[in-house]
């Protein structure tokens, strides 16, 4: 039980055991309590954050009634709190200091969905490392990140916080983020504990409604929503957070099957589970607990080791144990898990780790972090469409009209969950472009409209500017308040005022590149969709303007790929590429009568998962398999040749998809299994190699068992989830004597 031996020395185990033997029930409940940090200046990201004022909170810490503080930053305040815990509480147990560092502390990196477009685990690991360096320099030990929820409905606002719609990609990038946050040694002062969240299936809320209900099969839970958690735990994560939502009629916070049987029994998780913000108290509103006391009982029995912000554990656990409603052993187990994690990061030996004022001065918003934010931002941009408009040729384009509410805007550069960042320090598009253009006077900026409404004469001014320009750059999209927690939308389109602006500007006929700002996939309509070029620029963070300028001017070749499908219409949501065939699929060039489709919309995506263009042109050929027969315990090698057939150096992400033709549980029409990022000079070719084995073909079948079934598989190697080179292979069954 508790953290694995390899991360905890024997003397630490003994130390924790000794402490537990000496703790009162009140102190145990205190260790199981996480409260908003009122000591350090912070911008409250959550309701009721300041519920405990500084004086009351100090008294609680001195009594040993708090184990963790969250969402405050700054070394001085943290030291004061830690001094109280270590020096003035009876047992001197250090506080764990947590915060939501989701895509940066002061240096803001692209929002996670944007960075996922890099399809590059190494980049995600590097940015997570930089975030950890800043967060630990500011006095944090734990971040509530990465969000590893697979998000298949773009109406859900939290799409922005994850890695998109695909299971494989989310697992790959989430594990990289965990490795990056935690670094190689948890005891180092710049190691930041990760907390993959929200356990589980939070992204599957019905209708994309935040905090809503999830109703899914056991198989889908295990096949789609749990694997990214598994990958994150395998990468070393020791904390996870229970989801706000209910799964199949039981709120996750009270779901013993989910938090204990599945999380620990099936998945082997060894760390501690934290509730989400007041989620235990919310069991009453769910209609699952009688009252607050019952809610605390249900949560602790389910396996919630730490209660966030409600204070229910300190209020009720001692009495619940004394009355026999909760076994004392349950509390001991939870406390042990929490203390093991504190021990694993060296907090007992050095409660002052990550609380150094010199480090705080020198490791935050550094030039190297900003350079990395710049690189990450360029790598997150996806060129969705380009009819020869980009890159900007300064020889031909003399006058550029930058139009739209985001042209000079600094309030929407970072995206949600960047509340520690200073908005004044972000580089907006106009600033980035002026710095990069041969002559800043080439650029004329017109707002045109506000994010959500028209401005007097705005469209007329924009049209006039467009008419006299050689090129329009239209900076439109969502504000950062339109995505993130509690920002579900029913329609994932541009606000009407911006669509009207786009239509009017497009009608001038001046060549136009649209710079989309967004935290989710959008349904685009004419005016925007027909533009000569479209770039997905998400919320790119501190260096947004520089990165956008680099890509527009061709200093950097765009190489991002969509981690979420862009539908034609909002009503297609939930929409993802790995859907099922159905009994009445629409086949290419076939009739659509009485087929599984909406009467008004094609089943395809406007821009599919995995799509992303470059300024050069890549081709694939020579798809070969080492063997068309995959033996049960062997592997096959898949090879394809990638050629840069264009005029300039560039990067492509080669993607391998499979389809299991016939199985005992219907399988998706395609599933991503491998990616490879390759950079080639103009004219250069490279053979890309992938290895596939039986485990890559597994799915969750009857009895919730992972299994692969012999038979024929389609295989594609391509540049997106649509098209590509196709072949097939056969998986042969286990030889006699070997179990299937
Ligand atoms: C609520 C969010 O759901 C969760 O992701 C976050 O970590 C907590 N609030 C703490 O701020």
């Amino acid at each position: 039980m508790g953290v694995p031996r390899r991360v905890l020395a024997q003397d630490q185990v003994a130390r924790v055991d000794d402490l537990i033997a000496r703790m009162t029930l009140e102190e145990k409940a205190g260790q199981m309590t996480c409260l908003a940090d009122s000591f350090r200046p912070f911008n409250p990201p959550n309701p009721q954050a300041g519920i405990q004022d500084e004086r009351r909170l100090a008294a609680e810490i001195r009594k040993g009634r708090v184990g963790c503080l969250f969402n405050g930053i700054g070394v001085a305040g943290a030291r004061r709190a830690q001094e109280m815990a270590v020096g003035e509480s009876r047992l001197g147990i250090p506080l764990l200091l947590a915060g939501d560092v989701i895509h940066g502390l002061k240096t803001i990196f692209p929002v996670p969905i944007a960075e996922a477009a890099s399809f590059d685990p190494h980049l995600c690991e590097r940015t997570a490392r930089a975030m950890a360096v800043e967060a630990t320099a500011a006095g944090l030990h734990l971040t509530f990140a990465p969000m590893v929820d697979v998000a298949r409905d773009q109406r859900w606002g939290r799409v922005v916080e994850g890695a998109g719609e695909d299971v494989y990609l989310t697992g790959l990038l989430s594990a990289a983020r965990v490795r990056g946050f935690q670094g190689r040694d948890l005891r180092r002062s710049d190691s930041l504990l990760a907390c993959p969240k929200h356990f589980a299936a939070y992204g599957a809320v019905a209708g994309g409604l935040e905090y809503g209900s999830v109703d899914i099969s056991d198989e889908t839970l295990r096949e789609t929503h749990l694997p990214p958690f598994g990958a994150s735990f395998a990468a070393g994560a020791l904390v996870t957070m229970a989801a706000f939502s209910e799964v199949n009629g039981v709120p996750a916070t009270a779901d013993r099957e989910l938090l204990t049987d599945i999380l620990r029994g099936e998945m082997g998780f060894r760390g501690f589970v934290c509730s989400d913000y007041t989620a235990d108290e919310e069991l009453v509103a769910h209609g699952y607990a009688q009252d607050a006391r019952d809610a605390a009982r249900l949560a602790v029995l389910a396996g919630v080791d730490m209660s966030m912000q409600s204070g229910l554990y300190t209020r009720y656990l001692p009495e619940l144990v004394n009355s026999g409603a909760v076994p004392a052993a349950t509390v001991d187990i939870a406390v042990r898990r929490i203390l093991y994690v504190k021990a694993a990061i060296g907090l007992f030996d050095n409660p002052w780790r990550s609380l150094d004022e010199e480090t705080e001065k020198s490791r935050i918003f550094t030039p190297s972090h900003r350079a990395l934010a710049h690189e990450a931002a360029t790598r997150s941009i996806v060129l969705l469409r380009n009819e020869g408009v980009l890159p900007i040729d300064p020889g031909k384009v003399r006058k550029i009209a930058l139009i739209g509410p985001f042209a000079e805007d600094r309030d929407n550069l970072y995206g949600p969950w960047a509340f520690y960042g200073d908005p004044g320090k972000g580089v907006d598009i106009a600033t980035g472009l002026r710095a990069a253009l041969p002559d800043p006077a080439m650029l004329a900026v017109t707002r045109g409209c506000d994010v959500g409404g028209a401005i007097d004469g705005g469209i007329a001014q924009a049209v006039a500017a467009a008419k006299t320009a050689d090129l329009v750059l239209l900076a439109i999209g969502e504000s950062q308040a339109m995505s993130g927690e509690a920002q579900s939308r029913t329609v994932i389109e541009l606000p009407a005022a911006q669509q009207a602006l786009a239509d009017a500007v497009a009608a001038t006929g001046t060549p136009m590149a649209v710079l989309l700002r967004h935290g989710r996939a959008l349904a685009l309509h004419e005016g925007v969709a027909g533009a000569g070029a479209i770039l997905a620029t998400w919320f790119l963070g501190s260096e947004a303007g520089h990165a956008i300028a680099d890509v527009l001017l061709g200093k950097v070749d765009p190489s991002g790929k969509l981690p979420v499908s862009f539908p034609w219409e909002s009503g297609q949501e939930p929409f993802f590429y790995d859907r099922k065939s159905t009994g009445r699929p629409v086949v290419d060039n076939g009739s659509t009568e009485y087929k599984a489709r909406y009467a008004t919309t094609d089943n395809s995506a406007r821009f599919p998962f995995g799509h992303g263009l470059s300024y050069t042109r890549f081709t694939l050929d020579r798809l070969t398999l080492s063997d068309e027969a995959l033996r049960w315990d062997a592997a096959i090698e898949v090879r394809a040749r990638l050629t840069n057939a264009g005029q300039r150096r560039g990067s492509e992400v080669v993607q391998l998809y499979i389809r299991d033709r016939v199985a005992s549980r219907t399988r998706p029409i395609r599933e991503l299994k491998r990616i490879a990022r390759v950079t080639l000079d103009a004219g250069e070719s490279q053979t890309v190699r992938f290895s596939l084995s039986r485990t890559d073909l597994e799915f969750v079948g009857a009895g919730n068992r992972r299994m692969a079934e012999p038979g024929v598989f389609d295989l594609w190697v391509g540049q997106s989830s649509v098209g590509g080179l196709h072949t097939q292979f056969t998986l042969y069954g286990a030889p006699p004597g070997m179990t299937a």
Side-chain angles (χ1 to χ4, degrees), residues 46 70-71 100 144 158 197-198 241 244 276-277 308 417 485:
N46 290 304
F70 76 106
N71 281 351
D100 288 291
F144 298 126
R158 304 195 79 167
K197 65 186 186 186
H198 307 81
M241 185 185 289
F244 278 128
D276 204 337
Y277 197 95
M308 185 194 287
W417 293 111
E485 185 177 344

Short mmCIF file of all heavy atoms in Angstrom, two decimals, residues 46 70-71 100 144 158 197-198 241 244 276-277 308 417 485, ligand 1:
data_model
loop_
_atom_site.label_atom_id
_atom_site.label_comp_id
_atom_site.label_asym_id
_atom_site.label_seq_id
_atom_site.Cartn_x
_atom_site.Cartn_y
_atom_site.Cartn_z
N ASN A 46 -11.39 30.03 -8.18
CA ASN A 46 -12.56 29.25 -7.81
C ASN A 46 -13.46 30.05 -6.87
O ASN A 46 -12.99 30.90 -6.14
CB ASN A 46 -12.13 27.98 -7.06
CG ASN A 46 -11.46 27.01 -7.97
OD1 ASN A 46 -12.03 26.61 -8.98
ND2 ASN A 46 -10.24 26.64 -7.65
N PHE A 70 -3.65 25.24 -1.36
CA PHE A 70 -3.59 25.29 -2.82
C PHE A 70 -3.94 26.66 -3.37
O PHE A 70 -4.66 27.45 -2.76
CB PHE A 70 -4.47 24.21 -3.46
CG PHE A 70 -5.95 24.50 -3.45
CD1 PHE A 70 -6.60 24.87 -4.61
CD2 PHE A 70 -6.68 24.37 -2.29
CE1 PHE A 70 -7.97 25.13 -4.61
CE2 PHE A 70 -8.05 24.62 -2.28
CZ PHE A 70 -8.69 24.99 -3.44
N ASN A 71 -3.37 26.90 -4.54
CA ASN A 71 -3.60 28.10 -5.35
C ASN A 71 -3.18 29.41 -4.69
O ASN A 71 -3.92 30.40 -4.69
CB ASN A 71 -5.05 28.13 -5.85
CG ASN A 71 -5.21 27.21 -7.06
OD1 ASN A 71 -4.22 26.71 -7.57
ND2 ASN A 71 -6.43 26.99 -7.49
N ASP A 100 -2.83 25.14 -9.42
CA ASP A 100 -3.18 24.78 -10.81
C ASP A 100 -2.19 25.46 -11.75
O ASP A 100 -2.45 26.56 -12.24
CB ASP A 100 -4.58 25.28 -11.15
CG ASP A 100 -5.67 24.46 -10.47
OD1 ASP A 100 -5.84 23.30 -10.83
OD2 ASP A 100 -6.34 25.01 -9.57
N PHE A 144 -2.02 20.59 -10.11
CA PHE A 144 -3.19 19.80 -10.50
C PHE A 144 -3.22 19.69 -12.02
O PHE A 144 -4.08 20.22 -12.70
CB PHE A 144 -4.46 20.45 -9.96
CG PHE A 144 -4.52 20.53 -8.46
CD1 PHE A 144 -4.74 21.74 -7.82
CD2 PHE A 144 -4.36 19.39 -7.68
CE1 PHE A 144 -4.80 21.81 -6.44
CE2 PHE A 144 -4.41 19.46 -6.29
CZ PHE A 144 -4.62 20.68 -5.67
N ARG A 158 -13.69 22.37 -21.32
CA ARG A 158 -12.39 21.92 -20.84
C ARG A 158 -11.59 21.15 -21.87
O ARG A 158 -10.49 20.67 -21.56
CB ARG A 158 -12.56 21.14 -19.53
CG ARG A 158 -13.28 21.97 -18.49
CD ARG A 158 -13.18 21.44 -17.10
NE ARG A 158 -11.91 21.78 -16.49
CZ ARG A 158 -11.66 21.64 -15.18
NH1 ARG A 158 -12.61 21.19 -14.37
NH2 ARG A 158 -10.49 21.96 -14.69
N LYS A 197 -5.76 14.25 -14.00
CA LYS A 197 -7.14 14.42 -13.54
C LYS A 197 -8.05 14.42 -14.76
O LYS A 197 -7.56 14.56 -15.88
CB LYS A 197 -7.26 15.74 -12.75
CG LYS A 197 -7.03 16.99 -13.61
CD LYS A 197 -7.01 18.26 -12.78
CE LYS A 197 -6.92 19.47 -13.66
NZ LYS A 197 -6.77 20.74 -12.94
N HIS A 198 -9.35 14.27 -14.63
CA HIS A 198 -10.16 14.08 -13.43
C HIS A 198 -10.68 12.66 -13.51
O HIS A 198 -11.33 12.32 -14.51
CB HIS A 198 -11.32 15.06 -13.40
CG HIS A 198 -10.88 16.51 -13.58
ND1 HIS A 198 -10.60 17.09 -14.79
CD2 HIS A 198 -10.67 17.51 -12.67
CE1 HIS A 198 -10.26 18.37 -14.63
NE2 HIS A 198 -10.29 18.64 -13.36
N MET A 241 -7.04 13.17 -9.11
CA MET A 241 -8.18 13.92 -8.59
C MET A 241 -9.47 13.28 -9.08
O MET A 241 -9.61 12.97 -10.27
CB MET A 241 -8.11 15.36 -9.11
CG MET A 241 -9.18 16.29 -8.55
SD MET A 241 -9.11 17.93 -9.33
CE MET A 241 -7.61 18.60 -8.62
N PHE A 244 -15.66 15.74 -10.79
CA PHE A 244 -16.90 16.29 -10.25
C PHE A 244 -18.12 15.45 -10.65
O PHE A 244 -19.12 15.41 -9.96
CB PHE A 244 -17.15 17.68 -10.85
CG PHE A 244 -16.42 18.83 -10.20
CD1 PHE A 244 -15.67 19.72 -10.97
CD2 PHE A 244 -16.53 19.07 -8.84
CE1 PHE A 244 -15.03 20.81 -10.39
CE2 PHE A 244 -15.90 20.17 -8.25
CZ PHE A 244 -15.15 21.03 -9.03
N ASP A 276 -12.10 16.90 -6.05
CA ASP A 276 -12.10 18.21 -6.70
C ASP A 276 -12.73 19.19 -5.71
O ASP A 276 -13.18 18.82 -4.61
CB ASP A 276 -12.82 18.18 -8.05
CG ASP A 276 -12.33 19.30 -8.98
OD1 ASP A 276 -11.81 20.31 -8.46
OD2 ASP A 276 -12.47 19.17 -10.21
N TYR A 277 -12.77 20.41 -6.11
CA TYR A 277 -13.14 21.53 -5.26
C TYR A 277 -14.54 21.38 -4.66
O TYR A 277 -15.54 21.49 -5.39
CB TYR A 277 -13.08 22.78 -6.14
CG TYR A 277 -13.02 24.09 -5.44
CD1 TYR A 277 -11.81 24.70 -5.20
CD2 TYR A 277 -14.18 24.73 -5.06
CE1 TYR A 277 -11.76 25.94 -4.59
CE2 TYR A 277 -14.14 25.96 -4.45
CZ TYR A 277 -12.92 26.56 -4.21
OH TYR A 277 -12.88 27.78 -3.61
N MET A 308 -10.77 18.56 -0.84
CA MET A 308 -10.35 19.90 -1.23
C MET A 308 -11.43 20.94 -0.89
O MET A 308 -12.55 20.86 -1.37
CB MET A 308 -10.07 19.95 -2.74
CG MET A 308 -9.53 21.28 -3.23
SD MET A 308 -9.56 21.47 -5.03
CE MET A 308 -8.25 20.38 -5.54
N TRP A 417 -6.84 29.34 -17.26
CA TRP A 417 -5.85 28.73 -16.36
C TRP A 417 -4.46 29.32 -16.50
O TRP A 417 -3.48 28.60 -16.51
CB TRP A 417 -5.76 27.22 -16.56
CG TRP A 417 -6.98 26.48 -16.15
CD1 TRP A 417 -7.84 25.84 -16.98
CD2 TRP A 417 -7.48 26.28 -14.81
NE1 TRP A 417 -8.85 25.27 -16.25
CE2 TRP A 417 -8.66 25.52 -14.92
CE3 TRP A 417 -7.05 26.68 -13.54
CZ2 TRP A 417 -9.41 25.15 -13.81
CZ3 TRP A 417 -7.81 26.31 -12.45
CH2 TRP A 417 -8.96 25.54 -12.60
N GLU A 485 -12.97 25.80 -17.52
CA GLU A 485 -13.97 25.24 -16.61
C GLU A 485 -15.27 26.04 -16.68
O GLU A 485 -15.26 27.27 -16.71
CB GLU A 485 -13.43 25.24 -15.17
CG GLU A 485 -14.38 24.55 -14.22
CD GLU A 485 -13.85 24.46 -12.79
OE1 GLU A 485 -12.64 24.66 -12.58
OE2 GLU A 485 -14.67 24.21 -11.89
C1 LIG B 1 -11.76 22.75 -10.04
C2 LIG B 1 -11.22 22.09 -11.26
O1 LIG B 1 -12.15 21.15 -11.76
C3 LIG B 1 -9.90 21.38 -11.01
O2 LIG B 1 -9.40 20.93 -12.25
C4 LIG B 1 -8.93 22.28 -10.30
O3 LIG B 1 -7.71 21.64 -10.14
C5 LIG B 1 -9.54 22.67 -8.97
N1 LIG B 1 -10.77 23.39 -9.22
C6 LIG B 1 -8.61 23.49 -8.11
O4 LIG B 1 -8.50 24.76 -8.56
#
